[in-house]
Amino acid sequence: MRSVRKAPSALDEERLVRLVARGDRAAFEELYRRTAPWMALRLRRRCADEQIVAEVMQETYLAVWRAAGAFAGSSAGGTAAGWLWTIAARRLVDAFRRRAHHAEPPAAAALPDAAPAEEEALATTVGGDVGDALRRLAPELRQVLQAMVLDGLSVRETSVLLGLPEGTVKTRARRARIAMRRALV
């Protein structure tokens, strides 16, 4: 019996990454088509320099093409979108570090009090009482907690990403955790 291969547009992102690992260009193109808009939006919220955003996008998808076989997927509790964002966030930190050697790191994009796309993504990722408590945090605390916990960045990477001293990141992370504990009691 022949297996019928679904068109890439009919597959979920995790399956697309698995096909990319096998060198499937159509799957890669579909993955890019689906994920590039939100990826660019998230990067722009953290960096106002379009050149850096473009470089990070290119480096991210090159890394995805090369390392798709390393994606552990849902078997390890991850998602394709989370894996892609982790790659992008680390590439952004690397770009900030490279630029810091030559000049001041680019300013983060001006964030409104509520970033609708990120709030929507956060609502679908973290729900219930935890999601409610997270959304009630002050924006500066939520940014740090989101970078460190949801994006999996280190204190140093969060510091570079948000343009804050490491001590400030640690303080805000501690304050965020205390506020979350109180909200969930």
Side-chain angles (χ1 to χ4, degrees):
M1 185 179 240
R2 264 180 93 191
S3 67
V4 177
R5 183 169 186 258
K6 292 182 182 178
S9 61
L11 301 172
D12 66 6
E13 285 82 8
E14 182 170 343
R15 184 73 183 126
L16 288 171
V17 172
R18 301 246 181 262
L19 290 171
V20 169
R22 294 187 208 151
D24 188 323
R25 285 186 171 271
F28 179 78
E29 289 168 6
E30 179 63 18
L31 183 67
Y32 180 85
R33 186 191 65 73
R34 285 189 201 176
T35 59
W38 67 258
M39 179 82 66
L41 179 69
R42 285 189 84 177
L43 289 169
R44 284 185 191 109
R45 291 197 187 285
R46 287 162 174 78
C47 176
D49 187 327
E50 281 298 319
Q51 183 180 354
I52 290 177
V53 170
E55 288 172 14
V56 169
M57 290 284 290
Q58 184 175 2
E59 291 174 11
T60 297
Y61 285 99
L62 181 59
V64 167
W65 178 256
R66 289 178 175 165
F71 172 61
S74 58
S75 63
T79 65
W83 181 69
L84 286 167
W85 174 247
T86 299
I87 293 170
R90 291 178 191 266
R91 294 296 184 275
L92 184 59
V93 168
D94 291 344
F96 284 171
R97 285 183 182 145
R98 283 191 306 267
R99 298 286 168 126
H101 292 292
H102 303 291
E104 289 295 310
L111 294 174
D113 286 341
E118 291 221 359
E119 291 299 326
E120 187 176 317
L122 190 59
T124 60
T125 304
V126 182
D129 294 340
V130 174
D132 291 340
L134 188 58
R135 284 183 286 281
R136 283 193 303 265
L137 283 177
E140 67 274 7
L141 300 181
R142 186 173 52 245
Q143 283 180 327
V144 168
L145 200 60
Q146 187 171 355
M148 292 180 71
V149 176
L150 298 180
D151 296 341
L153 300 179
S154 69
V155 170
R156 171 168 276 148
E157 291 168 332
T158 300
S159 169
V160 172
L161 183 68
L162 298 177
L164 299 170
E166 287 184 38
T168 301
V169 169
K170 290 176 185 177
T171 300
R172 287 183 182 177
R174 183 174 180 278
R175 286 178 45 213
R177 287 184 186 108
I178 290 169
M180 290 291 290
R181 256 187 240 119
R182 286 184 184 146
L184 295 172
V185 173

